[in-house]
Amino acid sequence: MQPHYLHSVKTGGRTLSLLGIFKPAPHIDRLPNEKIDNEYKRLRMQVFISIFIGYAGYYLVRKNFSLAIPHMIQEGFTKSELGWVMSALALAYGISKFVMGAFSDRSNPRFFLAAGLMLSSIIMSLYALPAVTSSLTLMYVLMFINGWVQGMGWPPCGRTMTHWYSIGERGTRVAIWNTAHNVGGGLIGPLATLGLVLFGTYKSIFFFPAMIAFVVAIFVLFTLKDTPQSCGLPPIEEYKNDYPDDKVEDREKELSVKEILFKYVLNNKYLWYIAIANLFVYFVRYGVVDWAPTYLTEVKGFSTKGSHWSYFLYEYAGIPGTILCGWISDKVFKGRRAPAGVIFMAGVAVAVLVYWFNPVGNPMIDNLALIAIGFLIYGPVMLIGLHALDLAPKKAAGTAAGFTGLFGYVGGATLANAAMGMVVDSFGWNGGFMMLVGSCFLAIFFMALTWNHGLKSKSA
């Protein structure tokens, strides 16, 4: 007999076992009609706040290492070595986002999201140990494990958005939610500075944000809900009278992993196009942000504190940019995501050139260029994830988004970490910037292949 704490998941001819705590919440009897509207509005806001703060928490324990690089270089490590360590997170995260997407489509996001954040907080805190930061191997292994549990963040949030927000309203909502990583990522700079003041060691860059992230995970446990039906509410399509034109007969049917992969993901050429585009978008995103503290202090003469605040400005500039990009894709291009993405990536290319060629001694222009890149780059990042959600049924949304993330992180972000470090060591920063500009144009090309494609609602 199967133990009570395991939940069986059918995957074609195979069976995967999940801990019972991750089992989707069962549907319950529907509330009286007169209570549905108020309860739906209340819980939609509660769920949105929970996944927004929860996903922001993931970024408190994701990119800490890049802020510690200038300190670790002073301890004798090379850029190539540290870039190699950073690449472990991107490699593991890309694979995990895809794998965990398949699991999250069959799991309760309340526990799935919180568990990943708790584990990531614990792992990041271990970097405070001298034995860890003196060993490249240990740093790499822990970074890989952290990347894997970080993959438990995006998929359950994407799953939640597809269950609580209909296709006709999803563009703007996802854009607003997507700014959570700007909020979390931007806070790392000020928190790193505050940690140095409070604890007097650069290792506080690791453990101080981790303490806060663990508290955020507890908040998620108390606030997040699974599906509307698990709360006595109708499906979102019925509530909003907004049904996607996706030819899916039963949107509430749980799909096997085989169906998700081979029916809705791997045979969709548009998912392949945006996944490849994502590789180059992520190379630019992380090629700039992960190396900004090092580039600014080494080349542009910034202080460590100054580079932390530049990092903050880069991340927070992405908030209005992301929302604007989502709004343009909804209102101007009527649900087509590619045109807005192409426009924003063209702007990124210009801003990267300014950031590169601005002479030393003009910190205002450096910061303005970074702000422009941050403002523009996160729109395409968001649009690709949103387009993936649009291209798959809601029971396969996590896997579809994870597929694009696989390319973005295993390809783009890994190269941005490892290849940028090696190229800069061998050919200087000019070599690195040539790769960034080339990636901008390749991203534009692959996004343009989906120029006229966009999922619309039947009620549109």
Side-chain angles (χ1 to χ4, degrees), residues 65 80-89 127 136 139-140 143:
F65 197 83
S80 296
E81 290 172 334
L82 299 176
W84 177 73
V85 171
M86 277 201 301
S87 71
L89 187 142
Y127 276 87
L136 283 170
M139 285 193 288
Y140 185 93
M143 193 67 70

Side-chain angles (χ1 to χ4, degrees), residues 394-410:
K394 63 184 180 181
K395 297 298 184 181
T399 309
F403 180 68
T404 63
L406 178 68
F407 280 72
Y409 280 91
V410 174

Side-chain angles (χ1 to χ4, degrees), residues 99 210 269 388 411 434:
V99 173
K269 67 179 181 180
M434 288 178 188

Side-chain angles (χ1 to χ4, degrees), residues 6 64-65 78 85 130 137 166 176 192 242 263 268 298 360 425:
L6 293 180
N64 315 59
F65 197 83
T78 67
V85 171
T137 301
S166 68
I176 296 171
D242 185 9
K263 187 175 181 179
N268 190 321
E298 277 194 0
V360 177
D425 271 344

Side-chain angles (χ1 to χ4, degrees), residues 427-443:
F427 303 102
W429 287 101
N430 286 342
F433 274 96
M434 288 178 188
M435 295 174 68
L436 291 174
V437 174
S439 294
C440 288
F441 288 105
L442 287 168

